[in-house]
Structures are given as C-alpha cells and as structure tokens.
Amino acid sequence: MIGYVEFECMIYNAHSLKEKRAVLQRVLSRLKQKYNISVAEIDHQDVWQRTKIGIAAVTSSRASTEKELQRALAFLDSFPELERSVTTYDWF
C-alpha cells in the first residue's frame, strides 16, 4: 500500500530564502533519518515563509502505512518553526 500526504506549512521566522532552506533542510533530513518515508518540498520554493511538502510511504498494509505517516506528521508538528495547515491524503 502506498500512502501519500501533502501539506502546506508556514515558517514565520524566515526572512529570506536562505533561512527558509536552513529550517527545511534540518526538518526534512531528520524526517528521512527517523522514519521509513520519502519527503520533499514540492511547491512554493521561491517564497520565504510558505512551503508545500509531500511525504510518501510504502508498506504491506494500509494500517501500517497510515501509522507511519501519522508518526512522521506528529514529529514534524513538534518543530516550533513550522506550522502545518492544509493536509491531504491519497492512497494507491
């Protein structure tokens, strides 16, 4: 089962693209290291305080895929620099 989630985030303390990319690099690399997922910035690359991130996970069942994605999102929500907003799920 393939699970895909995409969501928008606000990075309020970023005042330049360099600051935004520093925050994203740290968050995305920790997500990749800690969980069995693929993650990337998929939109708003040239905007300072806004981003769209996509996360994909592949497991043998929908329940385990959903659990992995929920754990990754909970970990992402623990970062005070980011505020997650619109979130959509897709299943394949």
Side-chain angles (χ1 to χ4, degrees), residues 1 15 19 25 27-28 34-35 39 45 47-49 52 57-58 63 75 79 87 90:
M1 175 62 66
H15 301 292
E19 289 177 5
Q25 179 68 24
V27 171
L28 298 184
K34 192 167 175 100
Y35 300 101
V39 59
Q45 284 94 347
V47 181
W48 293 0
Q49 295 183 331
K52 190 174 215 178
V58 179
F75 181 70
F79 287 92
T87 305
D90 285 319

Side-chain angles (χ1 to χ4, degrees), residues 28-44:
L28 298 184
S29 65
R30 287 187 184 174
L31 276 171
K32 288 177 190 177
Q33 291 171 354
K34 192 167 175 100
Y35 300 101
N36 187 22
I37 59 171
S38 294
V39 59
E41 182 180 19
I42 58 173
D43 201 2
H44 308 300

Side-chain angles (χ1 to χ4, degrees), residues 1 59-70 91:
M1 175 62 66
T59 64
S60 60
S61 70
R62 181 175 174 151
S64 57
T65 303
E66 189 169 357
K67 182 178 178 182
E68 190 72 13
L69 290 174
Q70 289 295 331
W91 303 99

Side-chain angles (χ1 to χ4, degrees), residues 2-6 42 53-57 65 69 88-92:
I2 301 170
Y4 173 74
V5 62
E6 68 179 36
I42 58 173
I53 298 172
I55 298 176
T65 303
L69 290 174
T88 59
Y89 290 86
D90 285 319
W91 303 99
F92 304 99

